[in-house]
Every structure is written in structure tokens, then in C-alpha cells.
Amino acid sequence: MPEHIASRLGPALSSMSRLQSVLLWIETGLPIEVVQALSQVQTLESVLLGVIHDEAQPPSSNQSLTYFSAKNLRYVAQRKALSWLLPLTMSSNVEALSILFSPSDANFDGLGSPVDYPNLTTLKVSFILQWSELTPLLAFRGLKELSITPAFDWEEHWSTSETRLLVESFPLLEVLVLGDGPNSFDVLLTLPDLDCFARHCPRLWYLGASIDARAIHTFTGTVTPHPAIREVDLQESEAAEHEAEFEVAGLIKRLWPNLQKGSRMYHDTLPGEEPWGQESIKAFWDNVWSLMDFAEPDGRFDYTCTKMYEISLVDF
């Protein structure tokens, strides 16, 4: 930002007694006058700071500045810039934090510890390349909402051990989103693995994740019901063979007995739009959700209802 603009912008921001939201994109450096001005705006609730270049320099002043009233902070930056941007601008008042990494190695240097964010309940991180990058976040056990979106070149599958470590780390979770629908690479979970959510995240009511349902028909184990889950979004879920629809619907019924809303394959498309997935996969999940109306609480199906459903699938 040119110096002559920064010198005018700072006083202008300070005079805005009702300012609630700011979006600031930084190309070459963060003017100290602007940050000081923002830290004095007591009505500020939401701030988005974007650093265009990784070589952008921090302010020359070493003064620690905070957005005293801001409760929602969003950052779009590369690793190097975030290492100085986070500790410079973070506030103990923040309740919701969103970090979108530019395509480079994700790194949470400068994030601090949960002690620095006593009110933080919502965390969203995007463009994560590998599981190890998430390790520093596991200390934030007070989170109620967590969203993790992998980068496009994510090369790892979400193992059972990693899933269990994740849910054990956040016992207060109410909303969990892994991935971001058809525009991101899969964080692939299996339905039987999801029973650990009932044991460790009893308050969870919304789950967004990609499920691998291809081997459900061979599953013979038991699952722990999660009565709190009311909504699920299965995003880019893999489908099993057609004859496994009953097994998948039955297992979902046992896992989430109070499910009120489940999305169909991917997100709803507009009239005339083509779905992201194959038609056969979309049809599979459409049928699974329809079968949920016939499933008993134990996941079994009444024979009469089953025959009626099979007849309804016949193409006259």
C-alpha cells in the first residue's frame, strides 16, 4: 500500500465510530498506521486480512496490536506472512477464526496456544496439504465448530486412527466439516469408523464428510448410535453396488437414529445442470435416502415395505 494512501486511510478508519467490518488486501506490506487505527475501532466485529505475496513485509514497529472488539477474524495468506500476521493482529476476544492458506505449505507458526484465545469456538482452515499440519490444532479442545478443507493435491486418506485422534481432541464439537464438496479432494471416511463420534463428540449435530460406502455390504460389526446428529452432508461419497443400498441405509439408520436431513450425492444442482458425479452414484444415494423412510430403528426393513420399494424402482 503506498505511503500516501496509508497516511490518509489510518485517520479515516479511526474516525469511523460505527465501522463493523473491514476487508484489507496487502500486496507489499502492512502499514502500521492502518493496523493501529483498526485496533482503536471499538465497534469492529469482523476483519479479513489478505496477503497477496509471501514476501510482504511486516510493519517496522514491533508493537503488538489487537482488534479489541473483533470476534471474527479471517486470514488469506501464505506461510511466511502468517507467521508475523497472526501474532500481530490476534485478539483474545476472537470467537471465530478462519485461515485460508495460499497454495504452499500450511503452517501455524505464530498461532499461539489455547490460552491466547479463551473465547475461540469456531476454526476453519483451508488448503491443508497433509495430516501432520493439523497437529498444532489438536490442543484447541474447546472448539464447537471445526472445518478442514484439503488442498487440491492432498495425497492422504483419512485413516481410522487419525479420525479417532481428531474426535478425541474436540469433545465439545457441534459442527464438523471435512472437505468442501465437489470442489475439493476427498477426506474419505468409512461408515463403520464413524461410530467413534458418538463416544467422543456427544454434542455433534452436523457432520459434513465424504464416506466410502463401497464395502458396507460386507460389514458385520456393531456401531454406536449417535442420537445428537440431525444433519449430514455426504459430499463426494463413494457408492457401493446397487444391491448394497439396503445395507447402507440400514447402517446409517443405526448410526444416526434421529437424522432429520441428509444431503443427496454432492450438493443440489440447479435445473439443467449436470451433477458432478456419475449418474449411477447419484442414483445410489438418492435411493439410500428414500430407503431411510422404510428402515426400522435397528436398521432392519419390514418385508412388505421392502417389496413395495423394489416395485417402485421398476421402470414402467
Side-chain angles (χ1 to χ4, degrees), residues 7-161:
S7 61
R8 296 180 181 179
L9 183 57
L13 290 172
S14 300
S15 64
M16 296 181 181
S17 60
R18 298 183 180 180
L19 184 65
Q20 294 182 334
S21 180
V22 169
L23 188 159
L24 180 62
W25 288 97
I26 306 159
E27 183 171 3
T28 57
L30 180 61
I32 193 64
E33 300 89 350
V34 174
V35 181
Q36 288 175 331
L38 286 176
S39 67
Q40 298 170 9
V41 180
Q42 298 301 310
T43 57
L44 200 58
E45 297 180 358
S46 177
V47 177
L48 188 155
L49 292 176
V51 179
I52 298 177
H53 300 303
D54 199 25
E55 297 302 320
Q57 297 298 312
S60 55
S61 171
N62 292 323
Q63 179 181 359
S64 179
L65 304 170
T66 58
Y67 299 125
F68 296 107
S69 60
K71 296 181 179 180
N72 188 331
L73 294 180
R74 291 176 291 170
Y75 298 91
V76 180
Q78 295 186 0
R79 176 180 57 180
K80 184 176 180 180
L82 276 172
S83 65
W84 58 261
L85 188 60
L86 279 170
L88 178 68
T89 59
M90 189 53 66
S91 167
S92 60
N93 289 334
V94 66
E95 297 177 359
L97 174 62
S98 178
I99 301 175
L100 174 64
F101 290 99
S102 298
S104 64
D105 291 340
N107 191 293
F108 293 96
D109 289 346
L111 180 60
S113 69
V115 177
D116 302 315
Y117 314 101
N119 298 310
L120 184 65
T121 59
T122 300
L123 178 62
K124 300 180 181 181
V125 293
S126 302
F127 285 166
I128 298 297
L129 289 172
Q130 55 190 352
W131 167 260
S132 60
E133 294 171 348
L134 299 174
T135 303
L137 304 181
L138 300 182
F140 290 81
R141 296 179 60 83
L143 292 179
K144 295 182 179 180
E145 180 175 347
L146 177 63
S147 176
I148 301 172
T149 301
F152 294 133
D153 49 355
W154 172 274
E155 297 180 352
E156 300 183 16
H157 286 284
W158 212 272
S159 70
T160 300
S161 60

Side-chain angles (χ1 to χ4, degrees), residues 223 225 245-259 288-306:
V223 294
E245 292 169 353
F246 285 93
E247 286 83 355
V248 174
L251 187 56
I252 289 178
K253 187 70 173 184
R254 285 187 285 152
L255 269 173
W256 308 315
N258 295 320
L259 190 65
V288 165
W289 293 124
S290 297
L291 277 169
M292 295 291 291
D293 295 332
F294 297 98
E296 300 291 337
D298 61 359
R300 299 181 181 180
F301 293 88
D302 178 82
Y303 177 76
T304 304
C305 292
T306 301

Side-chain angles (χ1 to χ4, degrees), residues 108-280:
F108 293 96
D109 289 346
L111 180 60
S113 69
V115 177
D116 302 315
Y117 314 101
N119 298 310
L120 184 65
T121 59
T122 300
L123 178 62
K124 300 180 181 181
V125 293
S126 302
F127 285 166
I128 298 297
L129 289 172
Q130 55 190 352
W131 167 260
S132 60
E133 294 171 348
L134 299 174
T135 303
L137 304 181
L138 300 182
F140 290 81
R141 296 179 60 83
L143 292 179
K144 295 182 179 180
E145 180 175 347
L146 177 63
S147 176
I148 301 172
T149 301
F152 294 133
D153 49 355
W154 172 274
E155 297 180 352
E156 300 183 16
H157 286 284
W158 212 272
S159 70
T160 300
S161 60
E162 290 166 343
T163 301
R164 294 185 183 278
L165 178 59
L166 183 74
V167 299
E168 290 173 0
S169 300
F170 304 109
L172 303 182
L173 273 186
E174 297 176 3
V175 175
L176 176 62
V177 180
L178 303 176
D180 190 26
N183 294 315
S184 69
F185 276 59
D186 284 351
V187 176
L188 207 57
L189 306 176
T190 63
L191 277 172
D193 290 339
L194 296 182
D195 70 334
C196 60
F197 286 90
R199 298 191 184 100
H200 303 291
C201 297
R203 302 181 183 182
L204 191 69
W205 66 266
Y206 180 90
L207 175 64
S210 295
I211 307 298
D212 186 353
R214 290 172 293 183
I216 294 301
H217 61 288
T218 62
F219 176 71
T220 58
T222 60
V223 294
T224 303
H226 197 316
I229 288 187
R230 304 192 303 271
E231 296 184 24
V232 297
D233 181 351
L234 297 187
Q235 300 180 359
E236 295 187 2
S237 295
E238 297 284 353
E241 298 297 330
H242 173 72
E243 60 268 18
E245 292 169 353
F246 285 93
E247 286 83 355
V248 174
L251 187 56
I252 289 178
K253 187 70 173 184
R254 285 187 285 152
L255 269 173
W256 308 315
N258 295 320
L259 190 65
Q260 298 175 4
K261 180 180 180 182
S263 74
R264 299 175 185 272
M265 180 60 185
Y266 301 131
H267 299 282
D268 294 334
T269 55
L270 298 174
E273 278 189 331
E274 292 294 328
W276 285 86
Q278 301 175 5
E279 280 295 333
S280 60

